[in-house]
Amino acid sequence: MTTDVNTEIDRTQRMDTKAMNWSPSPSGTVWRKRVHHSGPEEAGQVTSVVRYAPQATFPAHDHPDGEEIFVLEGVFSDEHGDWPTGSYLLHPEGFRHAPFSTPGCLLLVKLRQYPGRDRRQLRCRVDQLPWVPSALPGIEHKCLYRQPGFRDETWLERWAPGTAIHGRHFPDGAECFVLEGALVDEEGRLEEGAWLRLPMDSRYHAHSPKGCTLYLKTGGLHYLQH
């Protein structure tokens, strides 16, 4: 069975994940909210917010075309380690694990969007990375993933209160998830937990009256099925 969600990559897509209902996963202790899905029900490309209940477990599984995780709350664990709030994980094609969470956790997860066995595996605490001034006034960033030979790049941005950006160009499109604060654009207000995807060659106008922190990815559209 196929249940497509937001597969039209030539259109702007936006979702308020906090207003969405939880759907069950194959594990009775893990729940999800899908903002993008293309392909078979349990074997397609997916971007979702995932919730592990306390003491939740998920059966051991492989990751064809890789997996990316950002820990939003709690502690995410597997046989390779424990990763608290603010951790970033990139598991390349061929990775296998049996994840669980003792206290419970909330994650941003992207599956089957990272082809290439020569991708680096990354696991880091983003609070240990420095904020670096960007080329845009009022915005600092932290690079999470960039690798020669691959089109996608991932980083965090921190907008100072009152920051406004007009006509920001995203030639390869962009994907954004609001981690803290709020972003205001021409379509409305994007609060914590909001997801936004822009098509290729987008020009984006936004401001943040009180400041915000964002997860951002560019180039990922090149790896999406549609």
Side-chain angles (χ1 to χ4, degrees):
M1 184 176 72
T2 299
T3 305
D4 289 340
V5 179
N6 290 332
T7 56
E8 305 91 345
I9 66 170
D10 58 346
R11 296 173 49 197
T12 297
Q13 308 282 358
R14 53 202 294 146
M15 302 284 285
D16 176 5
T17 66
K18 292 202 170 182
M20 297 169 63
N21 294 323
W22 291 104
S23 298
S25 77
S27 167
T29 55
V30 178
W31 300 76
R32 60 203 178 187
K33 298 178 178 182
R34 289 174 167 174
V35 296
H36 169 257
H37 179 258
S38 176
E41 179 65 17
E42 299 301 336
Q45 291 186 326
V46 181
T47 299
S48 56
V49 174
V50 176
R51 186 186 74 198
Y52 279 61
Q55 308 301 324
T57 61
F58 204 91
H61 55 275
D62 296 311
H63 279 293
D65 291 335
E67 171 190 54
E68 183 186 70
I69 295 173
F70 191 89
V71 183
L72 301 170
E73 297 176 10
V75 180
F76 172 80
S77 302
D78 61 15
E79 62 270 38
H80 307 289
D82 302 312
W83 298 95
T85 302
S87 297
Y88 175 79
L89 315 175
L90 181 63
H91 300 142
E93 184 176 340
F95 182 80
R96 180 178 176 82
H97 66 164
F100 63 94
S101 180
T102 300
C105 63
L106 189 68
L107 313 172
L108 176 65
V109 179
K110 299 174 70 66
L111 301 175
R112 294 178 179 257
Q113 299 174 43
Y114 304 92
R117 287 186 174 270
D118 53 346
R119 283 184 185 264
R120 296 192 304 270
Q121 179 173 331
L122 296 175
R123 292 186 152 206
C124 69
R125 292 274 304 273
V126 300
D127 60 356
Q128 297 174 352
L129 302 175
W131 288 106
V132 178
S134 75
L136 299 171
I139 297 179
E140 300 175 307
H141 62 187
K142 296 183 179 188
C143 180
L144 301 180
Y145 175 76
R146 180 187 297 125
Q147 184 176 348
F150 296 98
R151 305 290 293 270
D152 52 312
E153 299 184 13
T154 307
W155 67 97
L156 301 186
E157 284 191 352
R158 184 169 66 183
W159 292 40
T163 297
I165 300 297
H166 302 285
R168 185 176 185 179
H169 188 210
F170 291 106
D172 288 329
E175 190 170 352
C176 171
F177 189 85
V178 181
L179 300 173
E180 296 178 355
L183 193 65
V184 181
D185 63 16
E186 297 168 302
E187 299 298 322
R189 188 177 179 88
L190 295 160
E191 305 257 358
E192 180 181 328
W195 174 83
L196 170 72
R197 191 176 68 208
L198 302 171
M200 294 186 185
D201 202 31
S202 291
R203 297 276 180 180
Y204 188 61
H205 312 272
H207 66 282
S208 184
K210 296 185 178 180
C212 62
T213 303
L214 312 174
Y215 159 101
L216 272 169
K217 176 182 290 293
T218 59
L221 294 182
H222 292 286
Y223 302 107
L224 292 186
Q225 301 167 359
H226 55 91

